[in-house]
């Protein structure tokens, strides 16, 4: 079920089902969101650079009927090859683990189809520095305006913004964007 990407870039399909039916989640964790996304999309890709995490994802979704719509891919997000082809890209609680969160938006703009959507769930800025050593966070969250600025610089417009109550002492923000280019 877990595959490594091909060495060459496959040619985009011209089939109508590929035009507005594909979604990718970066860092799918337990796979719970993948299963929900599979209810709305014909093809859902769960991408992670950790084989351990993808095994966990695969085990979690193994007995679910929607697993046939889910493809798990082990690769670094920044090394993906391809032209815009996903109708939606979701990154939930992953940007604060990335060395360059701004580069994430640049790459996302190349992977999301025109008028496609990007959804980010991320920590708001905080001062709990213990997370850098304890759980490997590289960033102490983000101000919403910073995420919006990075998105705008790469062709996205904000469509939604929500702030959730504190979770484990952290405030979570969910931002929706649409690619205009």
């Amino acid at each position: 079920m877990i595959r490594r990407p091909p060495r060459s870039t496959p040619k985009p399909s011209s089939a109508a089902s590929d035009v507005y039916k594909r979604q990718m989640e970066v860092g799918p964790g337990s796979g719970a969101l993948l299963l929900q996304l599979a209810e709305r999309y014909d093809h859902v890709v769960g991408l992670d650079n950790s084989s351990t995490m993808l095994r966990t994802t695969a085990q979690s979704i193994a007995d679910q009927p929607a697993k046939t719509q889910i493809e798990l891919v082990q690769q670094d997000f920044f090394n993906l090859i391809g032209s815009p082809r996903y109708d939606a890209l979701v990154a939930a609680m992953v940007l604060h683990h990335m060395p360059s969160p701004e580069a994430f938006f640049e790459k996302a703009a190349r992977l999301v189809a025109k008028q496609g959507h990007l959804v980010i769930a991320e920590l708001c800025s905080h001062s709990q520095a213990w997370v850098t050593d304890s759980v490997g966070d590289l960033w102490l969250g983000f101000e919403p305006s910073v995420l919006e600025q990075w998105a705008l610089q790469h062709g996205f417009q904000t469509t939604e913004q929500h702030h959730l109550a504190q979770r484990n002492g952290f405030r979570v923000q969910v931002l929706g964007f649409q690619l205009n280019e």
Side-chain angles (χ1 to χ4, degrees), residues 74-153:
Q74 182 185 351
Q75 187 172 3
D76 184 276
F77 175 77
F78 295 105
N79 293 328
L80 280 175
I81 300 172
S83 59
R85 57 192 172 122
Y86 292 96
D87 303 298
L89 192 147
V90 175
M93 307 307 285
V94 298
L95 291 183
H96 62 271
H97 294 289
M98 293 184 168
S100 179
E102 181 178 4
F104 171 86
F105 288 92
E106 180 180 359
K107 184 67 175 183
R110 286 183 278 181
L111 294 171
V112 173
K114 184 177 180 180
Q115 301 300 311
H117 298 274
L118 172 64
V119 178
I120 304 289
E122 191 50 72
L123 298 173
C124 292
S125 291
H126 62 85
S127 60
Q128 299 187 46
W130 61 268
V131 297
T132 58
D133 293 328
S134 158
V135 291
D137 289 10
L138 300 177
W139 298 86
L140 299 180
F142 304 94
E143 290 296 329
S145 61
V146 171
L147 297 177
E148 288 181 288
Q149 178 185 358
W150 289 338
L152 183 62
Q153 288 172 348

Side-chain angles (χ1 to χ4, degrees), residues 12-121:
S13 170
S14 60
S17 64
D18 287 343
V19 177
Y20 295 105
K21 303 290 183 180
R22 295 175 58 103
Q23 190 281 337
M24 175 187 283
E25 181 183 8
V26 179
S30 70
L33 184 55
L34 288 176
L35 292 169
Q36 291 178 9
L37 292 167
E39 294 175 9
R40 296 182 175 192
Y41 293 89
D42 290 340
H43 185 88
V44 179
V45 174
L47 178 81
D48 204 305
N49 61 354
S50 167
S51 60
T52 303
M53 284 306 303
L54 284 178
R55 277 193 300 275
T56 299
T57 307
Q59 290 169 354
S60 295
I61 67 172
D63 296 331
Q64 302 299 317
K67 74 177 181 183
T68 60
Q69 295 165 248
I70 299 171
E71 176 184 10
L72 300 177
V73 177
Q74 182 185 351
Q75 187 172 3
D76 184 276
F77 175 77
F78 295 105
N79 293 328
L80 280 175
I81 300 172
S83 59
R85 57 192 172 122
Y86 292 96
D87 303 298
L89 192 147
V90 175
M93 307 307 285
V94 298
L95 291 183
H96 62 271
H97 294 289
M98 293 184 168
S100 179
E102 181 178 4
F104 171 86
F105 288 92
E106 180 180 359
K107 184 67 175 183
R110 286 183 278 181
L111 294 171
V112 173
K114 184 177 180 180
Q115 301 300 311
H117 298 274
L118 172 64
V119 178
I120 304 289

